[in-house]
Amino acid sequence: MPHTIVTTSTTTTTSSSDGGFCNIGYARSFQGLLKIGQVVILLIAFLCVHCEGINYSAYRYFEVVTAWFLVVFLIFFLMYLFRLQSKITCINWTLTEFLHYAVGGILVFIASIVVAVKSYGISALIAGSVFGFIATFLIAISIWTSYKVTCGSQPTGAAV
């Protein structure tokens, strides 16, 4: 009785069609455009107050807060643009981003209120505080979208 032995070999090839190490699609997404908007608005707010040249501690606080979160949000944008969050997996990036947005929103809002109160009718300071409030609004949108991603939609009623 002859025995037939059939040997099969399977070759699996995977290709990455995600565009390499740079995620250009992220820059065009809602989150990417929101981060770009935050960075630009914070830069304008910083420059409005900084270029006025008044050396007062309330204005320095505004400058420090806007410059710090401008850099942090730019780092987050670049991190997602170059897909670094997938290479550094020991950090929960969604939660980290949510906490930075929460702290940043509160501090930028407080700094904008301080500059608005201490503006004394100087147009550059008023413009800086207005851009600070706009940045606070954009940060609030980021907090909301980040919260939805972090916590997800929770069931609110009994299953039917």
Side-chain angles (χ1 to χ4, degrees):
M1 197 178 225
H3 292 313
T4 305
I5 299 175
V6 177
T7 306
T8 59
S9 64
T10 305
T11 305
T12 305
T13 58
T14 58
S15 65
S16 176
S17 63
D18 55 3
F21 75 99
C22 188
N23 186 4
I24 299 298
Y26 178 75
R28 296 183 192 132
S29 70
F30 178 73
Q31 289 292 331
L33 291 174
L34 193 59
K35 281 185 184 51
I36 291 171
Q38 290 166 348
V39 168
V40 169
I41 295 296
L42 284 171
L43 179 64
I44 293 171
F46 172 79
L47 290 176
C48 284
V49 174
H50 182 73
C51 291
E52 185 56 39
I54 299 174
N55 192 7
Y56 186 58
S57 62
Y59 307 137
R60 295 295 166 237
Y61 169 72
F62 183 84
E63 291 174 6
V64 168
V65 167
T66 54
W68 172 257
F69 287 104
L70 182 143
V71 170
V72 168
F73 296 156
L74 184 63
I75 289 171
F76 277 131
F77 175 75
L78 293 174
M79 182 187 69
Y80 285 112
L81 184 68
F82 293 114
R83 297 186 176 129
L84 297 177
Q85 81 280 5
S86 63
K87 293 171 181 53
I88 307 170
T89 58
C90 61
I91 298 173
N92 184 347
W93 288 109
T94 308
L95 183 61
T96 303
E97 188 176 10
F98 175 75
L99 292 176
H100 274 89
Y101 279 129
V103 171
I106 292 168
L107 292 179
V108 170
F109 183 66
I110 291 170
S112 298
I113 290 173
V114 169
V115 169
V117 169
K118 302 280 185 179
S119 66
Y120 303 115
I122 300 171
S123 60
L125 298 177
I126 293 171
S129 69
V130 167
F131 280 109
F133 287 124
I134 293 170
T136 302
F137 177 72
L138 293 177
I139 292 169
I141 292 171
S142 292
I143 290 171
W144 177 252
T145 57
S146 180
Y147 173 78
K148 285 178 19 181
V149 169
T150 302
C151 299
S153 59
Q154 302 293 328
T156 56
V160 177

